[in-house]
Amino acid sequence: MSLSLFLIGVLSLLCQVVLLRELNVAFYGVELVYLLALTSWMLGTAAGAAFAPRRWPAHPRRLTAILVAVPALLPLAVIGIRGSRRWLGALPGAYLPIDVQLGILLAATLPPAIALGLAFRWAAARALSEGGNLGRAYGVESAGFATAGALATLAFHLGAQTFTVATAGGAAAVIAFLFTRTARHRAWLWLAVTAVAAAIWLIPASGEADHRLTAWNHPGLVATADSPYGRITSVASGSQRAIFENDVLAFESGGVEQEVLAHVTALQHPLPKQVLVLGGAVRRLQDELALHHPSAITVVEQDEVLVKMGNTGAREHSRTPAGNPGAPVKVVIDDPRQVLRAPAQYDVILVGAGPPDSGLSNRFYTREFFEACASRLAPGGVLGLTLPLPDAFLAPHVLRRAASIVAALDEVFPHVEILPGTTTVAVASRQPLPQDETMPIARLQQREIEPRLVRAPFLRYLYQGERRQVLPHRLRAAGVPPNTDVRPICYQYALLIWLARFVPAAHGFDLLPAAPGPAVTWWTALAAAVFLLVARLRPAWRTAGLALVAGFAGMVLETLVLLRYQATRGALFVDIGLLVTAFMAGLSVGSWGAGRAAALHRPGLLRSVTWALLAAVTAVAALFAVRGDLMAASLGHAAITLTAVGLLVGALFGCAAARQPLGERGAGRLYAADVIGGAVGSLAATVLLVPLAGLEATALLVAAVALATLTIP
């Protein structure tokens, strides 16, 4: 049964990676889809493990059927997700109704999650009947998860496409099943050989199939590729060209947004020589900046696939005059925040990243990021960025999200100007900035630049328009805390803005004024205390409570470390994949080790070990609250931290499993309690605790929960 448990972990990771990436694209890159899909997956796994009908006892054939059917059907699930918008009649670029979106998400995640939860229950029951225990079974499954995580990280880092990964996984499962049958029936050998031959043809052909599937939603498709950060798609029609990132428009050759940001910012400086562009390579900001005759332009972009896709056909769409070669442009593939650590000085820094709708983009709109930019600006240097504001009606949450960014700018720069036009540009400097259009117009004429939009009348509109007088006051009077690395205010507003597209009443719902960080922490701590009191009522509930706390603490601490690492060191997918693998490896070793030691424990020793593990979880959470910057200061530090967290919560689950004899139902329900704890932890940390209370307060809450759980054993 060890092999079956290991394969269950492998398939769980494979399905999660493929389905979450596909759903993220289908729902236009909304990062919250990851959270909803992961929660759905965890709850489905818990349901399969805990509530299997009694008439479905463990049987090798049923287990084998699940291990073959789940990966074999995975490519069909991908096809269904990609075709959902087309088949359900959605307008190109428009959202489906929220109930339909949730229906697609549940239909994609629940069936395989329930099946694999049921498979774990059966495999664990067989392991128990053979003299094993639940802790060791959990450890073997976690080892499969960690192994698949490392392989998936390597595959995507090497350029594998999501549909190809799904196809290869399904083919491998079918082939493995057929070869296992050849030992009993030689006739199966011919089927196995035929399946191998089909896979040799099918896997390379999956690239063309991937292209055709993407073309369903992108007429005029030129190229598509999955990068470590998302799906990049290029389309063309006649002389026009557009690039989509996760099916969201990132650039179109006829737009002027890049022109506004580049020229309005560059005109704030008397003579920009050294220019740094952080993100925005695909938007061709460097083409506009080259018209100001700087000495050098450095463009920093994280996604190499996006840069290559953006450079395809860039020459014919460039608006730099043929007789003016412009400044030398250097494109650097790196994390922008890491580049800001280098000792260099710039006259103009432009933030070309997308709006702060995700953890990846939010880190370019925090106080800490602005402090790093300020340290790299030469005397009189200017920082420019686009505020995520429409040019018409300002919904409450949209206004507050922008206000949190302006508050962060105000804490770093003494001079911040808000210039609302077709695109709202914020410029900041340590030196006074022009207060009217006189100086920018003079510089525009002096440099002999003739953009399509940013000319003298447009600059007068920027400085003399009514919104120029009203909008800055509204933003600063909103009373929203500054957006920071440790308290990403934009997370909550990203959720509410997305919900308000479907539920207009969400515009009136705002947790920040009603429940500041300390209040959220206290109310959450009260809920945790009530849970612990209820858990003490029955012995079986105590055991389930320990497993639930292990899942909750592990998922919250893992989320905190990943967010802290992402904010401070970068969001390179290979690093994040390795960190998740480190956590799962620790989880595997901890639960397997606790399972091995459970058979040898003396009376009272198990309780002492459980107390020691809870105390250790408390200490790690408290240490993160005090020195989270150190625990996620580098890849090595973060990997060690996550391995330690996984080791502790895995061992805690193993101790919970060893408290009493477990049959098939008991094992399934205890496993379900751990998974439910993880789902609650992920949802609470991402949606509620981190945006409202911050990373440190959330870590202290985990420490308090672990400390209070000392009363359970």
Side-chain angles (χ1 to χ4, degrees), residues 250-477:
F251 167 79
E252 54 97 4
S253 58
V256 295
E257 292 82 3
Q258 61 272 18
E259 181 180 301
V260 175
L261 175 60
H263 292 307
V264 170
T265 304
L267 292 172
Q268 307 297 312
H269 194 279
L271 192 63
K273 290 299 183 183
Q274 298 293 326
V275 178
L276 177 65
V277 182
L278 302 175
V282 70
R283 297 167 62 186
R284 309 305 302 174
L285 292 169
Q286 61 271 26
D287 293 346
E288 306 295 339
L289 290 167
L291 301 176
H292 294 263
H293 309 290
S295 300
I297 301 175
T298 302
V299 182
V300 184
E301 186 66 72
Q302 296 181 102
D303 195 337
E304 186 174 8
V305 175
L306 184 62
V307 172
K308 292 179 178 178
M309 196 81 71
N311 287 335
T312 303
R315 182 174 300 176
E316 58 266 29
H317 295 287
S318 174
R319 289 192 293 274
T320 303
N324 178 15
V329 177
K330 178 183 179 182
V331 178
V332 178
I333 305 299
D334 200 350
D335 175 54
R337 290 189 62 157
Q338 294 305 306
V339 171
L340 290 173
R341 296 173 181 267
Q345 295 290 300
Y346 301 95
D347 299 309
V348 171
I349 296 179
L350 225 58
V351 181
D357 294 333
S358 66
L360 180 62
S361 58
N362 179 77
R363 53 197 294 272
F364 303 124
Y365 295 88
T366 65
R367 181 182 60 204
E368 292 84 352
F369 172 74
F370 297 145
E371 289 172 347
C373 290
S375 68
R376 300 277 72 86
L377 284 173
V382 179
L383 171 69
L385 63 137
T386 301
L387 290 179
L389 287 169
D391 58 357
F393 174 72
L394 293 181
H397 299 319
V398 175
L399 179 71
R400 294 184 186 116
R401 180 177 64 173
S404 71
I405 299 171
V406 173
L409 282 169
D410 286 338
E411 289 195 352
V412 177
F413 294 96
H415 302 281
V416 178
E417 297 295 332
I418 311 299
L419 302 172
T422 54
T423 299
T424 301
V425 177
V427 290
S429 176
R430 288 202 170 103
Q431 303 297 324
L433 295 165
Q435 296 299 301
D436 58 39
E437 72 278 10
T438 304
M439 186 64 70
I441 291 177
R443 291 169 179 168
L444 184 71
Q445 295 171 346
Q446 179 185 6
R447 298 170 192 175
E448 299 180 346
I449 302 174
E450 295 184 357
R452 291 180 298 169
L453 177 64
V454 184
R455 301 193 178 195
F458 180 80
L459 292 172
R460 293 191 188 98
Y461 161 70
L462 281 186
Y463 282 93
Q464 297 180 9
E466 181 181 357
R467 294 180 69 222
R468 158 77 168 151
Q469 311 302 322
V470 175
L471 182 60
H473 174 73
R474 291 187 63 186
L475 290 171
R476 292 186 169 100

Side-chain angles (χ1 to χ4, degrees), residues 519 578 670:
L578 291 174
L670 192 62

Side-chain angles (χ1 to χ4, degrees), residues 603-652:
L605 180 59
L606 182 62
R607 177 176 296 182
S608 299
V609 172
T610 304
W611 279 337
L613 291 171
L614 289 170
V617 172
T618 302
V620 170
L623 181 60
F624 183 88
V626 177
R627 292 305 309 271
D629 56 337
L630 177 62
M631 298 176 73
S634 67
L635 178 61
H637 286 78
I640 292 173
T641 301
L642 286 174
T643 302
V645 171
L647 188 70
L648 292 174
V649 298
L652 188 59

Side-chain angles (χ1 to χ4, degrees), residues 476-500:
R476 292 186 169 100
V480 181
N483 191 41
T484 66
D485 285 348
V486 296
R487 192 182 179 194
I489 302 297
C490 291
Y491 276 5
Q492 182 208 354
Y493 289 124
L495 168 64
L496 294 175
I497 291 169
W498 182 72
L499 287 176

Side-chain angles (χ1 to χ4, degrees), residues 55 63 67 78 105 113 129 173 193 207 315-316 344 353-354 396 456 468 538 583 604 629 631 649 657 685:
R55 63 178 180 274
L63 183 58
L67 296 181
V78 172
L105 186 147
S129 66
V193 172
R315 182 174 300 176
E316 58 266 29
R468 158 77 168 151
R538 295 183 181 180
F583 174 78
D629 56 337
M631 298 176 73
V649 298

Side-chain angles (χ1 to χ4, degrees), residues 5 19 30 49 92 108 194 202 225 244 274 364 366 395 476 478 504 522 525 527 568 601 615 662 703:
L5 290 164
L19 294 177
V30 178
T194 303
L202 186 62
F244 296 83
Q274 298 293 326
F364 303 124
T366 65
R476 292 186 169 100
W522 283 112
T568 58
H601 79 274
L662 294 171

